[in-house]
C-alpha cells in the first residue's frame, strides 16, 4: 500500500492512495480521479497524499434530532482542512426515533450495514461519525468497529431545556406525566399536545437522560468522543467548537493509526457500564453497548451489567431519575465530571486509550469536581445502588430492570413487604402487543387491580419487528383517577429512556421465538425477586411442560423486504439484537484487504 508522511516525517499507509495513486493500474487511478473532480476538487488535492476523511452524515429533514449536523459539518470540514485532510461528506441511512413506524429499532442494523459498505468500499482513511438520536450512535460505532479505520464520534447534543407552566419540561418524560393527567381527566387532548410540544424548544436530541443523551454519554465513556462532547447543547457555540476540534483530531488519528480496536477494549466497556449506572442511563444502553462489543470482538453480556454496575451509585440528578435537564448537566461538567468522580474512587479504568490520543485518566486530570447538586459526589449520591438488575427464570433467560428509577412509592408498595423484601407477586394481565393493550386496557371486564402485573409480549426484535418501546404501560383510567399511577410491567419489548417506570423489559428470548412469556396466561401468578434475580410463573413443572408442547409460533407477516430480512437474521435483545451473521465480519479493513477495483 502506498504511504504518505505526517508532519513528523513518519510514514503511514493511507487507504485512499489505493484509489487515487494506484500506480499498478493508472487507468483505474484516472477513473477514480476524474469523477471526484467534477464538483471542484483538484488533481493536486486528490493526489497530494493528504488523508481523506469521511463525514458520516446522519442529519436530514427526516431526522430532526440530528438535522443541525448539516450545519455542524461545516465546522468539521474546517477542522479537517486546517489539520491537512480532505473532507468528503456522505449520507447514511436515516434514523429518527419519533418518526419511524413500526419502530426505529428496525433501522439501527440497516444504518449499520450502510455505513460498513461506505467505509469499506470507498477511499476513506478515517471518519467522523455524526450521532444524536438514539440509534444513530450505536449504528455508527458498530459500523466503524466492523471496518476498523480511525473513527471519532461527534454527537449533536441535547436540545435546550423545555419549560411549561413555570417548570422544566423534559423531552419524553413529560409525555408520561401528561398521559397520566389526560387519563385522570385533568387535561384535554389539546393541553396534552401543548405540554408535550413544550419540551422541544430548539435543535438537538432529547434534553433528558433518555437514550440519546445516554448513548452519546456512552460514546464518551468508551473513549470514542473528545472529552465533554456528549452533553454540550445543540445550539451552544461550544457545539460548533467541538465539531471543529473533532475534525482536526481525526486527521491526527489517521497518522497515528488510532483505530476503534485500540479504544474499544474490555476495560472500556466496563467503564461504560459503570458510567451508565452513575448517569441513570437508559435501559436501551445494554443492548446497544453489547452490540458494539460483539462487532469489535469483545465478550460482553447482560450479566456484566449487573456484576460490574449494579452497586454503582446514582450521581446525576437528571430526568427521568432526577429533576434537571441537559443544560444543567453540561454546565455542571457533563460526562467528564462524572467520570472523574468515578476515577477518584477507582471505579473505572484510567489507563484505557481514547480518541484524544491520551488515556482516560490523562483526559480527566484537570476536570472540576462535582457541584453536589446536578452531579452528586460519590459520598453523597442520589441512590447508593443505581445499576441494572438482570433477572432470569421460566419467564425468560435474561431481562433488565433499571433500579435508578424505582421510586420511593413503588419501593414501599412492592419491595418493602415484611418477610419478603425486594420481591413482589401479582396476577398477570397479558397483552398481545401494543394494539391489544390500547384496545383492552380500559375494558371494565378486564380484572386489573393494584395487585396486577401488566405484561406485553410479541414486541421484540422478531415479533414486532425491531423491538418497540411499549413496556411502560399506564394502568386503566379508573385506577389512575384513584391515584394508582404505576403498576409493575414486564415485556419482551423495550422502553424509552425518558420513562421513569421501573419496568422489567428486553426479555430474551422473546415470545415470538418461544420464550417463557409466550406460555404466560392472564390470571397466572408471577413472582419477581430482585434480590435473587428471578422472575417466574408460579405454575407446576408439569403445567409448564404441557404449555411448551402445545405452543406454536405465529405466522408473522412482514410489510417490507427489510423487515423479512431482519427477522431472518436478527438476534435477541440480550445479545444486542445484532444481525448474527454480521458479527463474523471483524476489522475488515485489515482482514479483508482493499476491495477489488470497480472496472
Amino acid at each position: 500500500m502506498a504511504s504518505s508522511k505526517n508532519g513528523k516525517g513518519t510514514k503511514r499507509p493511507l487507504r485512499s492512495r489505493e484509489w487515487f495513486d494506484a500506480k499498478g493500474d493508472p487507468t483505474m487511478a484516472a477513473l477514480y480521479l476524474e469523477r471526484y473532480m467534477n464538483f471542484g476538487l483538484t488533481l493536486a488535492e486528490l493526489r497530494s497524499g493528504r488523508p481523506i476523511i469521511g463525514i458520516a452524515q446522519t442529519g436530514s429533514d427526516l431526522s430532526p434530532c440530528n438535522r443541525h449536523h448539516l450545519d455542524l459539518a461545516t465546522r468539521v470540514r474546517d477542522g479537517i482542512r486546517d489539520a491537512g485532510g480532505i473532507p468528503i461528506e456522505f449520507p447514511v441511512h436515516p434514523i429518527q426515533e419519533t418518526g419511524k413506524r413500526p419502530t426505529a429499532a428496525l433501522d439501527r442494523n440497516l444504518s449499520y450495514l450502510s455505513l460498513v459498505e461506505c467505509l469499506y468500499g470507498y477511499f476513506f482513511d478515517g471518519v467522523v461519525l455524526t450521532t444524536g438520536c438514539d440509534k444513530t450512535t450505536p449504528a455508527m460505532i458498530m459500523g466503524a468497529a466492523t471496518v476498523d479505520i480511525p473513527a471519532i464520534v461527534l454527537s449533536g447534543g441535547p436540545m435546550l431545556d423545555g419549560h411549561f407552566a413555570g417548570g422544566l419540561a423534559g423531552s419524553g418524560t413529560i409525555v408520561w406525566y401528561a398521559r397520566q393527567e389526560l387519563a385522570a381527566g385533568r387535561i384535554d387532548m389539546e393541553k396534552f399536545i401543548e405540554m408535550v410540544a413544550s419540551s422541544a424548544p430548539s435543535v438537538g436530541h432529547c434534553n433528558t437522560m433518555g437514550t440519546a443523551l445516554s448513548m452519546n454519554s456512552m460514546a464518551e465513556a468508551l473513549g470514542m468522543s473528545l472529552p465533554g462532547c456528549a452533553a454540550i447543547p445543540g445550539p451552544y457555540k461550544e457545539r460548533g467548537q467541538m465539531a471543529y476540534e473533532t475534525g482536526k483530531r481525526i486527521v491526527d488519528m489517521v497518522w497515528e493509526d488510532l483505530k476503534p480496536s485500540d479504544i474499544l477494549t474490555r476495560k472500556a466497556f466496563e467503564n461504560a457500564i459503570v458510567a451508565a449506572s452513575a448517569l441513570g442511563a437508559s435501559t436501551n444502553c445494554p443492548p446497544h453497548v453489547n452490540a458494539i462489543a460483539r462487532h469489535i470482538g469483545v465478550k460482553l453480556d447482560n450479566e456484566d451489567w449487573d456484576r460490574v454496575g449494579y452497586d454503582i451509585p446514582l450521581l446525576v440528578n437528571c430526568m427521568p431519575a432526577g429533576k434537571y435537564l441537559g443544560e444543567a448537566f453540561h454546565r455542571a461538567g457533563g460526562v467528564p465530571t462524572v467520570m472523574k468522580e468515578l476515577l477518584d474512587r477507582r471505579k473505572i479504568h484510567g489507563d484505557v486509550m481514547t480518541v484524544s490520543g491520551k488515556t482516560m485518566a490523562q483526559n480527566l486530570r484537570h476536570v472540576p469536581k462535582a457541584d453536589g447538586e446536578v452531579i452528586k459526589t460519590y459520598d453523597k449520591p442520589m441512590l447508593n445502588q443505581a445499576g441494572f438488575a438482570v433477572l432470569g427464570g421460566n419467564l425468560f433467560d435474561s431481562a433488565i430492570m433499571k433500579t435508578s428509577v424505582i421510586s420511593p412509592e413503588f419501593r414501599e408498595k412492592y419491595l418493602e413487604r415484611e418477610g419478603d423484601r425486594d420481591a413482589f407477586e401479582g396476577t398477570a394481565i397479558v397483552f398481545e402487543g401494543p394494539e391489544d393493550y390500547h384496545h383492552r386496557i380500559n375494558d371494565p371486564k378486564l380484572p386489573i387491580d393494584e395487585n396486577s402485573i401488566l405484561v406485553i409480549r410479541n414486541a421484540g426484535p422478531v415479533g414486532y419487528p425491531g423491538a418497540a418501546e411499549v413496556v411502560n404501560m399506564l394502568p386503566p383510567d379508573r385506577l389512575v383517577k384513584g391515584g394508582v399511577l404505576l403498576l409493575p410491567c414486564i415485556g419482551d419489548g423495550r422502553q424509552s429512556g425518558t420513562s421513569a417506570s421501573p419496568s422489567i423489559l428486553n426479555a430474551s428470548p422473546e415470545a415470538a421465538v418461544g420464550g417463557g412469556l409466550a406460555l404466560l396466561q392472564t390470571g397466572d401468578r408471577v413472582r419477581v425477586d430482585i434480590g435473587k434475580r428471578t422472575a417466574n410463573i408460579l405454575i407446576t413443572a408439569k403445567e409448564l411442560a404441557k404449555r411448551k408442547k402445545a405452543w406454536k409460533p405465529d405466522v408473522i407477516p412482514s410489510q417490507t423486504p427489510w423487515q423479512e430480512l431482519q427477522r431472518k437474521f436478527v438476534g435477541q435483545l440480550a445479545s444486542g439484537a445484532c444481525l448474527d451473521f454480521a458479527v463474523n465480519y471483524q476489522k475488515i479493513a485489515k482482514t479483508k484487504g482493499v476491495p477489488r477495483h470497480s472496472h
Side-chain angles (χ1 to χ4, degrees):
M1 185 179 289
S3 301
S4 295
K5 292 182 179 180
N6 65 8
K8 298 178 182 179
T10 304
K11 288 190 174 183
R12 293 291 185 191
L14 294 179
R15 291 181 81 244
S16 57
R17 296 301 87 215
E18 296 288 349
W19 275 259
F20 299 129
D21 190 25
K23 292 184 170 58
D25 195 337
T27 301
M28 289 307 307
L31 181 66
Y32 298 130
L33 285 163
E34 62 91 9
R35 201 50 53 94
Y36 282 94
M37 295 171 59
N38 76 357
F39 61 94
L41 286 174
T42 67
L43 272 175
E45 289 173 289
L46 293 172
R47 302 178 75 186
S48 65
R50 294 160 61 184
I52 296 183
I53 307 297
I55 303 173
Q57 181 57 266
T58 58
S60 70
D61 290 355
L62 200 58
S63 303
C65 290
N66 290 33
R67 191 183 185 281
H68 57 304
H69 273 302
L70 297 173
D71 298 321
L72 290 172
T74 300
R75 293 300 287 143
V76 177
R77 286 173 174 271
D78 291 343
I80 292 169
R81 281 283 181 183
D82 284 358
I86 299 173
I88 298 287
E89 188 175 345
F90 64 96
V92 291
H93 182 80
I95 309 177
Q96 177 57 39
E97 192 67 35
T98 57
K100 175 63 187 287
R101 299 169 70 173
T103 169
L106 270 173
D107 286 0
R108 188 201 70 179
N109 289 338
L110 186 56
S111 186
Y112 153 78
L113 290 174
S114 151
L115 182 62
V116 169
E117 290 303 312
C118 288
L119 296 185
Y120 182 64
Y122 288 89
F123 37 72
F124 298 116
D125 299 306
V127 63
V128 174
L129 308 169
T130 66
T131 69
C133 190
D134 298 15
K135 292 158 193 66
T136 58
T137 307
M140 295 300 96
I141 302 177
M142 288 158 59
T146 295
V147 182
D148 202 34
I149 61 172
I152 189 170
V153 170
L154 174 69
S155 53
M159 295 181 285
L160 299 178
D161 291 357
H163 297 271
F164 183 82
L168 287 173
S171 48
T173 299
I174 198 171
V175 175
W176 319 124
Y177 170 71
R179 71 177 186 175
Q180 291 173 354
E181 295 293 286
L182 183 65
R186 290 188 286 268
I187 61 173
D188 60 16
M189 182 56 74
E190 287 303 311
K191 181 61 70 174
F192 177 88
I193 292 173
E194 182 185 350
M195 289 176 69
V196 174
S198 70
S199 68
S202 73
V203 300
H205 58 64
C206 285
N207 48 29
T208 49
M209 190 59 71
T211 306
L213 185 51
S214 295
M215 279 308 303
N216 288 301
S217 297
M218 291 297 93
E220 189 173 330
L222 284 166
M224 288 296 293
S225 289
L226 291 177
C229 180
I232 303 169
Y236 278 26
K237 66 181 181 182
E238 290 90 346
R239 179 54 64 190
Q241 292 166 349
M242 179 61 72
Y244 175 76
E245 294 299 332
T246 299
K248 285 182 63 179
R249 178 58 195 149
I250 186 60
V251 177
D252 286 340
M253 288 176 66
V254 168
W255 292 126
E256 295 163 12
D257 198 28
L258 182 57
K259 304 179 297 298
S261 59
D262 301 313
I263 297 166
L264 296 173
T265 61
R266 170 71 190 197
K267 285 184 176 181
F269 285 106
E270 290 182 354
N271 283 355
I273 290 173
V274 171
S277 299
L279 290 162
S282 167
T283 50
N284 284 308
C285 289
H288 290 325
V289 174
N290 290 356
I292 295 168
R294 290 189 72 193
H295 283 291
I296 201 66
V298 171
K299 188 180 184 306
L300 195 76
D301 55 34
N302 276 354
E303 285 64 35
D304 290 313
W305 287 79
D306 196 321
R307 181 181 59 81
V308 175
Y310 183 77
D311 290 327
I312 298 299
L314 177 63
L315 303 183
V316 178
N317 189 4
C318 195
M319 295 183 191
K323 67 179 183 180
Y324 293 103
L325 295 173
E327 285 191 83
F329 179 51
H330 166 63
R331 292 179 181 276
V335 175
T337 294
V338 176
M339 299 298 279
K340 181 67 160 60
E341 197 71 22
L342 296 169
L343 180 67
D344 287 348
R345 290 310 182 104
R346 299 182 180 180
K347 298 300 180 182
I348 61 171
H349 305 284
D351 59 346
V352 294
M353 180 54 62
T354 73
V355 292
S356 71
K358 301 176 182 177
T359 66
M360 182 66 71
Q362 289 172 324
N363 287 343
L364 301 176
R365 186 170 294 163
H366 302 297
V367 168
K369 294 182 178 181
D371 65 354
E373 175 58 23
V374 181
I375 300 177
K376 304 290 186 176
T377 63
Y378 200 93
D379 288 333
K380 296 180 180 179
M382 294 183 67
L383 290 173
N384 290 324
Q385 293 175 315
F388 297 101
V390 179
L391 311 177
N394 63 19
L395 274 173
F396 38 73
D397 293 342
S398 182
I400 293 286
M401 187 177 190
K402 180 179 175 180
T403 62
S404 64
V405 291
I406 297 178
S407 66
E409 296 79 14
F410 188 95
R411 185 172 295 281
E412 181 180 1
K413 180 172 177 57
Y414 296 105
L415 300 175
E416 294 184 349
R417 298 184 301 171
E418 191 66 32
D420 197 19
R421 298 180 68 85
D422 289 329
F424 60 89
E425 294 182 11
T427 302
I429 306 294
V430 182
F431 298 100
E432 305 292 346
E435 293 84 2
D436 184 38
Y437 160 75
H438 290 298
H439 179 66
R440 292 198 297 131
I441 186 62
N442 285 309
D443 185 344
K445 298 178 182 178
L446 205 58
I448 302 179
D449 59 24
E450 294 185 47
N451 299 308
S452 297
I453 297 176
L454 305 182
V455 179
I456 193 165
R457 64 188 178 199
N458 297 313
V462 174
Y464 197 70
E469 293 186 327
V470 295
V471 181
N472 49 330
M473 294 169 282
L474 190 69
D477 292 356
R478 58 183 171 80
L479 291 186
V480 174
K481 291 174 181 176
V484 180
L485 305 180
L486 201 64
L487 289 174
C489 297
I490 299 175
D492 55 10
R494 299 176 299 109
Q495 178 171 297
S496 172
T498 65
S499 171
S501 175
S503 307
I504 297 168
L505 40 83
N506 298 3
S508 304
E510 62 183 294
V513 299
L517 286 181
L519 311 178
L520 187 65
Q521 298 176 4
T522 291
D524 285 342
R525 294 289 292 176
V526 169
R527 177 174 174 80
V528 174
D529 191 322
I530 299 174
K532 295 180 179 178
R533 301 294 197 267
T534 57
N536 291 293
I537 321 171
L538 299 181
I539 57 176
T540 65
K542 182 178 180 181
E543 174 63 18
L544 187 64
K546 177 183 175 183
R547 293 185 189 183
K548 283 183 178 180
K549 185 176 181 180
W551 180 81
K552 294 181 180 179
D554 291 332
V555 176
I556 306 171
S558 293
Q559 298 163 310
T560 65
W562 171 239
Q563 287 185 17
E564 181 176 346
L565 192 61
Q566 160 112 341
R567 274 194 169 112
K568 184 176 180 180
F569 292 108
V570 73
Q572 292 295 291
L573 285 168
S575 58
C578 301
L579 299 172
D580 282 339
F581 72 90
V583 300
N584 296 320
Y585 291 81
Q586 306 223 336
K587 305 176 181 64
I588 61 175
K590 178 179 180 180
T591 61
K592 303 297 182 182
V594 178
R596 298 166 70 182
H597 281 304
S598 61
H599 287 71

